[in-house]
Amino acid sequence: MNHSFDWVGRAPTVERAGMQGQEKTEDSLIREIRELRDRIAELDRLAVAHRMTEQALAQSLEKLRRATGVVIDVIIMAVETRDPYTAGHQNRVADLARSIAAEMRLPADVIDGIRVAGRIHDVGKISIPAEVLTRPRHLSPAEYSLVKTHPEIGYEILKNIDFTHPVAQMVYQHHERMNGSGYPRGLSGEAIMPEARILAVADVVEAICSRRSYRSALGIEKALKEILQYRDVLYDGEAVDACVALFRDRGFRFK
Ligand SMILES: [Fe+2]
Ligand SMILES: [Fe+2]
């Protein structure tokens, strides 16, 4: 008797008596192969559809990023037209804050959020009369309380823009101080977001290093002395250390 094995070598079939059974096996094998081919084709179609969806999503995200970039540019232009000093200040603060965040080894997306917030952190000054901003003397208490409204106004301007980071909150908190002596809400310590604490250090250092309408530039050593003196009192200790390291060890300079 002749024995043969089916395609998977499972059970011997008897050639003569089993011819019909073997044909059925071949038929079902062909059917299985067809089904398998159909399934592979379906998977291919799904993979193509998935890739297309992914591409469409990436394009939408890119469009959204570009639109947000345009919104930021418009805001910067509006500030620049009215108050060139603040525009230059915001760019230098953005550059230093981004570098402090990088020195602190924060994640890339957080660093980028801090840079964006830095570029527009004083946008609220748009609502303050230009003559107050450029006054060639120290401000009166009434003028100072007007200036102190700018973080909240900035927050109101930015809060509905769909940033990928909490930029509006960072702007809101950039004048808060670690011991609660800042404004507008007198937040303290951990209640202030780390990004805003970094912005605060960069903001103060840039302000001391720059010429103001009522005084000349005081220089980087004076700025570093200020943040070291009030390390963990007014300013976040880690952000202070990173900032000092940038100027003393890494050769950071304002552009
Ligand atoms: Fe400010
Ligand atoms: Fe500022």
Side-chain angles (χ1 to χ4, degrees), residues 232-253:
D232 278 336
V233 179
L234 301 179
Y235 312 112
D236 178 281
E238 276 183 61
V240 166
D241 294 345
C243 183
V244 172
L246 278 177
F247 282 97
R248 296 226 166 123
D249 309 329
R250 308 249 189 267
F252 182 92
R253 294 292 174 267

Side-chain angles (χ1 to χ4, degrees), residues 91-157:
N91 280 333
R92 288 188 294 273
V93 168
D95 193 28
L96 177 56
R98 183 193 60 78
S99 302
I100 293 173
E103 180 72 16
M104 291 169 73
R105 301 193 190 290
L106 296 181
D109 62 320
V110 175
I111 296 174
D112 195 52
I114 290 172
R115 184 188 60 81
V116 171
R119 287 184 72 202
I120 50 181
H121 72 276
D122 278 334
V123 63
K125 287 189 175 172
I126 217 159
S127 69
I128 298 166
E131 59 272 22
V132 173
L133 293 178
T134 55
R135 190 137 292 175
R137 57 166 171 77
H138 282 284
L139 301 175
S140 71
E143 288 165 342
Y144 188 46
S145 34
L146 192 62
V147 169
K148 277 161 69 173
T149 60
H150 80 273
E152 187 164 7
I153 292 167
Y155 170 75
E156 289 298 327
I157 292 171

Side-chain angles (χ1 to χ4, degrees), residues 7-177:
W7 67 284
V8 283
R10 275 188 303 245
T13 51
V14 179
E15 209 172 79
R16 218 173 347 135
M19 274 307 278
Q20 226 183 343
Q22 196 174 6
E23 275 166 21
K24 270 187 189 166
T25 308
E26 280 170 8
D27 277 352
S28 67
L29 184 61
I30 289 167
R31 221 178 305 125
E32 270 180 42
I33 289 173
R34 277 193 189 133
E35 276 171 19
L36 208 58
R37 236 176 9 216
D38 288 350
R39 249 181 281 162
I40 289 172
E42 181 59 21
L43 280 175
D44 273 348
R45 273 195 295 277
L46 283 174
V48 169
H50 182 71
R51 263 201 304 278
M52 283 167 71
T53 312
E54 263 186 351
Q55 278 171 2
L57 271 176
Q59 278 170 1
S60 301
L61 198 64
E62 187 49 39
K63 262 190 201 166
L64 189 65
R65 280 209 189 105
R66 271 204 297 267
T68 310
V70 169
V71 170
I72 295 170
D73 287 344
V74 168
I75 292 171
I76 290 170
M77 266 165 60
V79 174
E80 214 160 52
T81 312
R82 195 165 159 277
D83 177 10
Y85 166 74
T86 298
H89 161 73
Q90 291 189 125
N91 280 333
R92 288 188 294 273
V93 168
D95 193 28
L96 177 56
R98 183 193 60 78
S99 302
I100 293 173
E103 180 72 16
M104 291 169 73
R105 301 193 190 290
L106 296 181
D109 62 320
V110 175
I111 296 174
D112 195 52
I114 290 172
R115 184 188 60 81
V116 171
R119 287 184 72 202
I120 50 181
H121 72 276
D122 278 334
V123 63
K125 287 189 175 172
I126 217 159
S127 69
I128 298 166
E131 59 272 22
V132 173
L133 293 178
T134 55
R135 190 137 292 175
R137 57 166 171 77
H138 282 284
L139 301 175
S140 71
E143 288 165 342
Y144 188 46
S145 34
L146 192 62
V147 169
K148 277 161 69 173
T149 60
H150 80 273
E152 187 164 7
I153 292 167
Y155 170 75
E156 289 298 327
I157 292 171
L158 301 170
K159 69 178 183 191
N160 292 324
I161 301 176
D162 200 7
F163 292 107
T164 40
H165 311 282
V167 169
Q169 273 298 338
M170 294 184 214
V171 169
Y172 202 178
Q173 298 181 14
H174 78 274
H175 280 286
E176 301 290 358
R177 295 295 178 253

